[in-house]
Each structure stands twice: as C-alpha cells, then as structure tokens.
Amino acid sequence: MSAGIVLAIAVCALCAAVFGAILKRGGKEYAILLSTAAAVLITACVAEELAPLVQQITALSVAGGLPGLCLSVLLKAAGLTILGQLAVHLCRDAGESALAYGVELAAQTAVLTVAIPLFTRLLEYLGEILQP
C-alpha cells in the first residue's frame, strides 16, 4: 500500500469525522450513517490493495511447503476478524454495546467454524503419529 493511498484514507476519515461532528448537532442518526459509509468506503479501498499481499503470502506458503488448507483458513479467519471488528466498532460508536457483543460473538464463531477442517486434519495427523 502506497503512502498516497494511506494519505487519501486519512483525509477521508478526517473529513468524515469533521462532518460527523457537525451532523451530531442536528441528528445523531445521520452522523452514524456517515461514519458507516466512510468506514465501508475505507474498507473497500483497503480490500483492493490486499490482492498483491495475498499473492505474496500464497507464494511464500507454497515455497515453505505450508499446506493449502492452512493458508485458506488463515486468510478466511483474517477476513472474518477484520469485518467483525469493523462492525463491532460501528455498533459501539452508535451506542449499541449489546449489538456489538452479538457481532463479536458471531465473528468468533465464524472463525472457529472456518478452522474446523484444520483441527480435523491436525487430529488425523496426531492419530497417525500415535498409532504403533
């Protein structure tokens, strides 16, 4: 990710924060919508920049002999965690702590669900090792 993109994201975030502060005077709902839109825009911008990083990680995992299942689980877990945290922070900014907890619980459950094939494979390997 280049410095120009980080600068653009920072300017977007600062503008949204300033406009959000102005909108809070008139109605908190509009400020929350602005904050959500800015966060989604920033996340989409960052997601576009992740493709080269994922390619590099994939190349490193192939070179290092890391099974494809491990890489798949790691990337899915990272994505779920990032999206979950974004939603949690937006809910907390909106003053909805209970919703934030629900989103956090859902994201953690999704990460565990994605990791089940990896746990299964690990237990299979342990079973093979422990057999005489």
Side-chain angles (χ1 to χ4, degrees), residues 16-74:
V18 169
F19 290 136
I22 293 170
L23 287 174
K24 279 184 183 176
R25 294 179 188 163
K28 187 177 178 182
E29 298 83 16
Y30 295 116
I32 292 169
L33 285 175
L34 175 68
S35 176
T36 302
V40 168
L41 177 69
I42 290 170
T43 303
C45 184
V46 170
E48 289 179 10
E49 297 296 318
L50 285 177
L53 179 64
V54 170
Q55 290 173 349
Q56 287 178 345
I57 291 172
T58 303
L60 286 173
S61 72
V62 169
L66 187 66
L69 179 63
C70 292
L71 179 65
S72 172
V73 169
L74 288 174

Side-chain angles (χ1 to χ4, degrees), residues 79-95:
L80 288 167
T81 303
I82 290 167
L83 289 175
Q85 285 300 305
L86 174 64
V88 164
H89 288 292
L90 289 172
C91 288
R92 285 197 180 127
D93 287 348

Side-chain angles (χ1 to χ4, degrees), residues 94-105:
E96 297 292 338
S97 297
L99 287 177
Y101 174 74
V103 171
E104 196 169 24
L105 181 62

Side-chain angles (χ1 to χ4, degrees), residues 69 113-128:
L69 179 63
T113 302
V114 166
I116 286 176
L118 190 60
F119 291 138
T120 303
R121 182 70 54 100
L122 178 64
L123 290 174
E124 288 173 1
Y125 286 148
L126 286 174
E128 291 174 7

